Amino acid sequence: MSASLVDPRLQGRALKRVAFTTDQIRGRVRELGADISAAYPDGDLLVLGLLKGSFILVSDLVREISRPLQVDFLVVSSYGNDMVSSGTVRMVYDAQAVLKGKHILLVEDIVDSGRTLSMVITVLQEREPASIEVCALLDKHLSTFLEHPPRFVGFDAPNEFLVGYGLDHAENFRHLPYIASLQ
């Protein structure tokens, strides 16, 4: 299915295929919310979104979690001006919430190599949370650096360049309500 013929949001770009439809995403986020609610019956829960890619998932996910929680965000950079990760995570924006003693649910849009996510977890562990778990919308299962794999995964992702539902290409396509691969 090619959405390029019917979707003006694509700015003239063609899609290779729609990988996950709006309805599939909506249903899976609902299931993730139920799983997360059951996994955290008590204690302080902080949903910590890793921006920018996770912002839509965080918004939808927290409305499906049926227990008290707090929300905060992190922005990290491991690339600087390079095309390859430097191996060093720099906090561009740090969470304002206190992490000590809280259950942290780190929400990520997609896990590929796991390098940045692994370093973020190391930094967060220094702040003495009660626990840290990862919720990823997509997991490509290519991780060679991730010692703490996602506990909650929306979908196993194909090894394609994906956009939509928060995922971007050069800051475009985040607003698409589905996930697709570009031509």
Side-chain angles (χ1 to χ4, degrees):
M1 174 180 143
S2 176
S4 62
L5 300 175
V6 296
D7 197 335
R9 296 173 286 202
L10 293 174
Q11 305 163 344
R13 296 283 302 267
L15 293 178
K16 181 177 177 183
R17 69 185 186 98
V18 173
F20 303 102
T21 67
T22 303
D23 288 340
Q24 288 175 308
I25 296 166
R26 186 178 301 122
R28 188 64 187 121
V29 169
R30 190 173 300 120
E31 292 169 356
L32 287 170
D35 292 346
I36 292 164
S37 298
Y40 295 98
D42 54 26
D44 293 330
L45 176 61
L46 174 63
V47 175
L48 192 57
L50 198 51
L51 293 177
K52 295 179 186 175
S54 73
F55 79 102
I56 293 175
L57 174 59
V58 169
S59 175
D60 289 346
L61 184 63
V62 297
R63 290 180 283 178
E64 298 295 339
I65 298 173
S66 60
R67 60 142 8 251
L69 57 81
Q70 295 177 340
V71 178
D72 207 337
F73 294 93
L74 293 172
V75 178
V76 298
S77 172
S78 63
Y79 289 83
N81 294 325
D82 298 324
M83 296 294 289
V84 177
S85 176
S86 66
T88 304
V89 172
R90 181 176 63 88
M91 291 283 186
V92 177
Y93 175 82
D94 202 349
Q96 301 301 302
V98 174
L99 278 60
K100 186 174 183 173
K102 293 182 180 173
H103 296 291
I104 307 301
L105 181 65
L106 185 59
V107 179
E108 175 70 298
D109 55 353
I110 188 166
V111 176
D112 42 44
S113 76
R115 182 184 306 238
T116 300
L117 187 57
S118 186
M119 288 184 271
V120 168
I121 290 170
T122 299
V123 169
L124 295 178
Q125 286 172 330
E126 294 171 359
R127 298 178 186 181
E128 302 176 25
S131 67
I132 299 177
E133 295 293 348
V134 176
C135 175
L137 178 62
L138 303 169
D139 190 344
K140 286 191 173 183
H141 298 285
L142 300 174
S143 174
T144 56
F145 293 95
L146 196 57
E147 295 175 14
H148 195 99
R151 178 173 176 185
F152 307 98
V153 176
F155 301 99
D156 292 334
N159 193 11
E160 301 172 36
F161 194 91
L162 301 172
V163 296
Y165 199 76
L167 298 154
D168 75 302
H169 176 259
E171 295 299 325
N172 295 307
F173 310 111
R174 290 187 195 278
H175 64 294
L176 298 176
Y178 49 83
I179 297 171
S181 57
L182 289 177
Q183 289 281 24

